[in-house]
Amino acid sequence: MSELSRREFLGTAAAAAVTASLSGAVAGSGAAEAAPRKPGCHGDLRDIKHVVVVMQENRSFDHYFGSLRGVRGFGDRSTIQLPGGKTVWEQPAGEATQYPWRLSGAEEWGGEAPPSPELGAANYGGTSHGWADQHGAWYGGLMNGWYAAKGGPTTLGYLDRRDLPFHYALADAYTIGDAYHCSVLSATGPNRTYLWSGTINADQKHGDFIAYSGGDELGRFLPWRSYAEQLQAAGVTWRVYQCEDDYGDNGLEYFDTFARLDPAQGGTAAPGNVYYDNGVRNVPEPVTGLAGNADNINNAIRSDVLAGNLPRVSWVVNNQFFSEHPVTAPSNGAYFLRGLLEALNADTEVFDSTLVILNYDENDGQFDHVPPPAPAPGEPDEFVAGTLDAYGITAPVPVGLGFRVPLLLISPWTRGGWVTSEVSDHTSVIQFLEKWTAAFGRPAISPNISTWRRRVCGDLTAAFDFSAPVYGMPPLPRTGALVPEVEYDPLPGDNAMPVQEGGTKRSRPLPYQPNANLIGFTGSTARLAFSNDAPFVSKASHFAVYDNLAGLPAPADYPAAFPGQYTVGARRTATGDGPLNGTAYDLTVIGPNRFLRRFAGDTASAGRDLRVAASYYEGRPAGTPKLRLTLHNDSAAPVTFTVAHNHYITGRPQTVRVAPHSARTWSADPIEQSHGWYDVTVTADRDAGWSQRLVGHLETGKPSISG
């Protein structure tokens, strides 16, 4: 039976670099209810005794949390523009456009109507999410192919707090990541392969097979080393908790070491073999009925907690019914997750020394508005060729990053309703485990993660504050009765921009400081300068450059006619190009954490002699940054620049008159005035078509407030 058909069969059955300090985090202000550290604690990564990884299924970030307050969701103002001038929210739908729409706001149904719109939203059927259509939605970074690639309006459906009370309560109580991406622009199998190994073998170092598509990789006997094997070699205890019906989601069983011990793949069970006992063997299953899968897994975890046998690292794999995979109701996943936390809390000392990493393998076909960082062509282990010939694409296409998916970090050191906006992906879980195992003296280092991912994707440690733990399990909503799987097909009930909850969240520090300036013109291109420099910078910043005057390129024009991708290392600078359309230009540059620049003008007009140089420090980076704009007038006539705050900082626009062949500096103090956030537009009296918009956040290496 093929890997995809096996998933379908199981689903039907279910319906019945380690050199950082040990702290791994910059100490910051903890939650108001923070309790003192317990005796014997170290105040660093060593205080974590257990890590439990729970990967649920097929939900994008906007789909689940676009309306949550304080995250990069529907209120995001640092968005790209689609070809033709529409916002990224107005997705092309034939001759019309469609905004994201609330699934439980449906008034019409493509088929049988449910007893209530809420039930119909909970049991919607999901959308296509393979390698080809995920790349189709991404469309080279233009993000305009969702409706066409995914087959209709369901791709734009979302849920909110009314639909997801338990998940929102977890986000309110702990730390949510709003820049966590799936690893592959593809389906479940490749993304779980990344979680368990850090690669899909795109560079074919481990044979010809590249695990780039499919519901799972069962039967492939992947030959490279899984991370569980790294843990075993390092002497770190580990286990997978699963039942017989694991929905094909136990990624360890994709690998040769484990597949040879799996009778379902023709292997031979070997009780007593650590890889069989901990990676293939199922938990006891005395509980039957709808709740059986969740209860049996959580009972096994509770038993190990009470017996003192919970391993250092656990992966928890449930079936479709509890995985949150459409058509499964998210409340069923909430039932499972609450049971898991209660099982860990059977011994409060265990709960108070455990980190639960809750993430999602991929986005299904659900829309997310943030373009994922992508490598420049040629990055090793990051491109696959010959897979999209049917679409006219012959050039190698990137493996990822994929679209954003939810991440929740549940622990005493991530308590308090924080957000972390550090770019990360499934390899970040491995990178965290690397740092953590090194902290307690048994480093388990994966050889599989590409150099580019290690540069761009964080290790999650900045999301923790070990100086201010908050112990105990917080009050969480009850999850209600389990919802049987009956598929419904909701249709859009509205076509208006969705609203995000008001307010902000406390945000964790970020390890980069992106900046970009338009520095001149060469032939048919605009010259751009990128930088990523500050005293605390330790990770690369990724930038993408969009030509807002270009039409819709053909797939065959990839990558030349698509957004340029630039990765700038820690404390490094780089240059890049943006195209001119004749003499006109309108360029958008995006980067991490809502960073945006928009440069518009015409080299045949007076604006050709005007420049804005944004900087954060005077000379060498040190001390507290400010936003400094050096306004250059290289023309023979005086110019009056106007600088206007669009958001964050209040006040009337300010004018700066600059003499011919001179420059003057305008500055603001976002750290003092707006928690580091700025959003300004610069215009000039001599050229009405010339403007520059600058948006971003000044980092200090300390906690702040979300945008």
Side-chain angles (χ1 to χ4, degrees), residues 492-698:
D494 60 67
N495 194 9
M497 183 62 205
V499 177
Q500 186 171 353
E501 297 174 345
T504 60
K505 285 182 175 289
R506 291 176 296 174
S507 60
R508 292 302 188 187
L510 300 179
Y512 30 66
Q513 185 64 86
N515 193 10
N517 288 302
L518 174 59
I519 58 174
F521 304 93
T522 303
S524 61
T525 63
R527 297 295 293 161
L528 302 170
F530 307 104
S531 67
N532 177 36
D533 196 8
F536 51 84
V537 168
S538 61
K539 300 293 289 189
S541 284
H542 178 270
F543 301 89
V545 180
Y546 288 76
D547 178 7
N548 298 319
L549 297 182
L552 182 65
D557 294 328
Y558 180 82
F562 288 81
Q565 308 287 342
Y566 299 91
T567 299
V568 181
R571 305 192 181 189
R572 294 289 187 268
T573 61
T575 58
D577 296 328
L580 299 178
N581 290 268
T583 58
Y585 62 91
D586 183 351
L587 306 173
T588 294
V589 181
I590 59 169
N593 196 28
R594 309 177 197 238
F595 176 88
L596 181 141
R597 299 287 189 263
R598 187 164 183 180
F599 308 115
D602 195 308
T603 60
S605 67
R608 68 183 179 277
D609 295 320
L610 309 180
R611 289 187 295 117
V612 178
S615 61
Y616 307 135
Y617 299 92
E618 291 182 308
R620 184 175 181 176
T624 302
K626 291 185 179 181
L627 177 64
R628 294 179 171 84
L629 304 183
T630 303
L631 308 172
H632 293 264
N633 174 19
D634 298 330
S635 73
V639 173
T640 297
F641 292 92
T642 299
V643 185
H645 293 284
N646 302 313
H647 302 286
Y648 303 122
I649 298 175
T650 59
R652 293 183 177 182
Q654 297 173 289
T655 58
V656 181
R657 188 170 178 81
V658 182
H661 304 292
S662 300
R664 292 182 63 188
T665 298
W666 173 96
S667 65
D669 192 351
I671 301 294
E672 178 68 25
Q673 296 177 277
S674 54
H675 302 286
W677 292 98
Y678 65 88
D679 182 348
V680 300
T681 296
V682 184
T683 54
D685 62 347
R686 292 194 59 218
D687 190 341
W690 180 92
S691 68
Q692 297 197 6
R693 183 181 174 211
L694 305 94
V695 187
H697 184 255
L698 297 185

Side-chain angles (χ1 to χ4, degrees), residues 97-112:
T97 60
Q98 175 67 51
Y99 283 99
W101 55 282
R102 186 170 177 243
L103 286 164
S104 53
E107 298 176 355
E108 296 183 55
W109 306 85
E112 180 184 357

Side-chain angles (χ1 to χ4, degrees), residues 10-11 14-16 245 247 289-294 318-325 328-333 335-336 482-485:
L10 292 173
D245 178 6
Y247 195 34
L290 280 180
N293 183 269
N318 51 31
N319 64 1
Q320 178 179 343
F321 189 75
F322 291 105
S323 72
E324 301 175 49
H325 187 298
T328 297
S331 59
N332 295 345
Y335 173 91
F336 167 77
L482 296 176
V483 179
E485 293 174 343

Side-chain angles (χ1 to χ4, degrees), residues 390-481:
Y391 295 85
I393 300 176
T394 57
V397 294
V399 172
L401 301 181
F403 302 114
R404 291 188 307 165
V405 292
L407 169 74
L408 288 164
L409 300 172
I410 302 167
S411 78
W413 316 280
T414 54
R415 184 86 173 264
W418 292 80
V419 59
T420 176
S421 298
E422 184 174 7
V423 173
S424 47
D425 80 327
H426 299 328
T427 70
S428 298
V429 177
I430 295 177
Q431 292 187 63
F432 175 84
L433 293 172
E434 291 177 330
K435 286 284 183 71
W436 175 60
T437 56
F440 61 78
R442 294 186 178 273
I445 312 304
S446 172
N448 299 329
I449 301 173
S450 74
T451 300
W452 181 78
R453 293 203 186 225
R454 287 197 182 273
R455 294 175 66 203
V456 171
C457 297
D459 59 21
L460 307 180
T461 57
F464 294 77
D465 184 355
F466 292 99
S467 72
V470 182
Y471 298 115
M473 188 167 164
L476 294 169
R478 307 308 301 183
T479 58

